[in-house]
Amino acid sequence: MSSTPLRHTALDALHRSLGATMTDFAGWDMPLRYGSEREEHLAVRTRAGLFDLSHMGEITVTGPQAAALLDYALVGNISAVKPGRARYTMICREDGGILDDLIVYRLAETEYLVVANAGNAQIVLDALIERSESYDAEVRDDRDAYALIAVQGPESPGILKSLTDADLDGLKYYAGLPGTVAGVPALITRTGYTGEDGFELFVKPEHAVELWQALTKAGEGAGLVPCGLSCRDTLRLEAGMPLYGHELSTALTPFDAGLGRVVKFEKEGDFVGHAALTEAAARAQSNPPRVLVGLVAEGRRVPRAGYAVVAGGEVIGEVTSGAPSPTLGKPIAMAYVDAAHAAPGTAGVGVDIRGSHEPYEVVALPFYKRQK
């Protein structure tokens, strides 16, 4: 057990006043659920949910060579991102292994906000600082400078519009703009991890409670509820979104994870992991790695990460994430399986759940796609 005390977000007392069940997540004391995680999940799918994501790791990169540094340090073509837009990307080791998946926001010509997963924030920060040595750019740890609140779900645009005069209609997916929400200065971004339309609001920690309360009040008529990390996990699983430590790890390259598209070989200059990722791309062409697929249970037993996927008595893969799906009404899982068994509808595939081979249907990801 770690003796390091858990970190608390600016909304900690508020979560407790709402009766949240708290949990240790990547060294942070975070709300797991407030009531029923199934109800919270369905609220986001049909109405709106409010999340505290202040555990995420914000790193600011500024300076004349900020773009060049990020092009070198990350696998994406970051210099091609226009101000006001965002990009999903990854940071890899020299051997191509994934250190973390990231969202990078270009706030201005020479200013970027890199958002890392909570558990990897220090690793990403250290790597960016190390990789910045020969660049005219500053890497700044801004984890304490931000609280992050997300409002997600089909009612989220209406709720947010009632509190801001920012041009939400003109704000595209994976874009952001500075604005004021309920009198609070915020970076308003149209991003999220739920498969629904929604927004993430970066604000100073001292404004977090005020903003949360204003959003709660504005969402009363729309059925908005506070949501914990538990339903965030089932929402992202249904949407087929990878989670670091489950679908992504240092043992996998982006090509092994089926996310080779994030690696931009066409960008100018070298980047960390270039040689290894070139080999990984060629290998994936000639000898396909295991493929990330969806599995839907025929029965009621829930698969968990690490369970073996089987066919004909042989192990053909491994479950990376599994849970009951409130939207489908059945247990679902993501799993890496041998390419020969990856086609949707492949017969005879099961999951070894405590010695019993439970039948599963192989499906294409995502399990759920919102109606535009």
Side-chain angles (χ1 to χ4, degrees):
M1 288 291 287
S2 167
S3 57
T4 311
L6 290 179
R7 299 184 68 180
H8 298 275
T9 78
L11 293 161
D12 184 72
L14 195 147
H15 297 316
R16 292 169 196 282
S17 74
L18 292 170
T21 300
M22 306 296 284
T23 189
D24 175 357
F25 186 83
W28 289 82
D29 207 8
M30 297 296 295
L32 188 64
R33 71 182 80 80
Y34 297 84
S36 152
E37 45 201 64
R38 182 176 180 276
E39 289 304 316
E40 291 172 23
H41 178 111
L42 293 173
V44 175
R45 285 276 177 261
T46 60
R47 304 186 307 277
L50 194 56
F51 296 84
D52 178 9
L53 306 179
S54 304
H55 60 309
M56 300 295 281
E58 294 89 2
I59 301 161
T60 302
V61 181
T62 56
Q65 291 188 300
L69 161 61
L70 290 171
D71 277 348
Y72 168 70
L74 313 179
V75 300
N77 188 1
I78 307 304
S79 57
V81 179
K82 291 181 168 56
R85 299 307 301 265
R87 183 71 45 89
Y88 175 78
T89 187
M90 294 182 183
I91 183 168
C92 291
R93 300 192 306 197
E94 200 64 73
D95 67 0
I98 303 166
L99 282 173
D100 200 15
D101 62 335
L102 311 164
I103 294 181
V104 179
Y105 300 90
R106 188 169 196 167
L107 304 183
E109 198 59 39
T110 59
E111 184 181 5
Y112 293 83
L113 180 65
V114 177
V115 181
N117 285 297
N120 294 331
Q122 190 63 47
I123 292 165
V124 173
L125 178 69
D126 292 344
L128 286 175
I129 290 171
E130 185 185 323
R131 295 172 190 188
S132 72
E133 280 175 3
S134 58
Y135 290 88
D136 184 6
E138 183 199 351
V139 176
R140 190 171 71 233
D141 180 0
D142 268 350
R143 283 176 287 180
D144 293 336
Y146 290 104
L148 178 56
I149 295 174
V151 54
Q152 299 276 304
E155 298 290 340
S156 59
I159 292 167
L160 198 54
K161 271 182 194 173
S162 71
L163 297 172
T164 182
D165 56 7
D167 179 18
L168 298 187
D169 291 335
L171 188 63
K172 295 184 172 74
Y173 187 52
Y174 266 70
L177 83 175
T180 304
V181 182
V184 169
L187 171 64
I188 305 166
T189 68
R190 201 163 207 154
T191 45
Y193 195 48
T194 62
E196 297 298 336
D197 192 10
F199 302 87
E200 295 182 319
L201 308 171
F202 294 82
V203 298
K204 288 182 176 174
E206 58 264 33
H207 294 147
V209 171
E210 178 188 347
L211 180 57
W212 179 284
Q213 288 172 336
L215 286 162
T216 300
K217 192 164 180 358
E220 277 172 1
L224 173 126
V225 300
C227 293
L229 293 181
S230 186
C231 86
R232 190 168 183 252
D233 192 47
T234 52
L235 289 159
R236 71 91 196 167
L237 175 55
E238 288 183 352
M241 294 176 167
L243 175 64
Y244 196 88
H246 289 257
E247 288 72 40
L248 309 174
S249 72
T250 50
L252 298 171
T253 72
F255 294 94
D256 298 321
L259 290 164
R261 65 180 182 275
V262 306
V263 182
K264 304 299 183 188
F265 291 115
E266 70 276 13
K267 64 181 172 177
E268 280 184 37
D270 196 17
F271 61 92
V272 177
H274 187 284
L277 290 170
T278 302
E279 284 178 22
R283 205 165 51 238
Q285 286 290 319
S286 59
N287 179 25
R290 282 184 165 177
V291 179
L292 189 65
V293 300
L295 299 174
V296 177
E298 292 178 22
R300 308 303 309 166
R301 297 185 73 183
V302 178
R304 297 296 181 193
Y307 286 11
V309 182
V310 292
E314 301 288 314
V315 174
I316 59 151
E318 184 176 304
V319 171
T320 53
S321 297
S325 163
T327 305
L328 275 62
K330 300 174 180 181
I332 60 172
M334 286 200 278
Y336 282 112
V337 302
D338 294 343
H341 299 272
T346 301
V349 173
V351 175
D352 185 339
I353 300 182
R354 298 190 185 90
S356 168
H357 290 188
E358 301 288 328
Y360 273 75
E361 181 190 357
V362 179
V363 300
L365 292 169
F367 300 97
Y368 166 86
K369 203 163 193 173
R370 71 184 170 95
Q371 301 302 308
K372 291 281 191 270

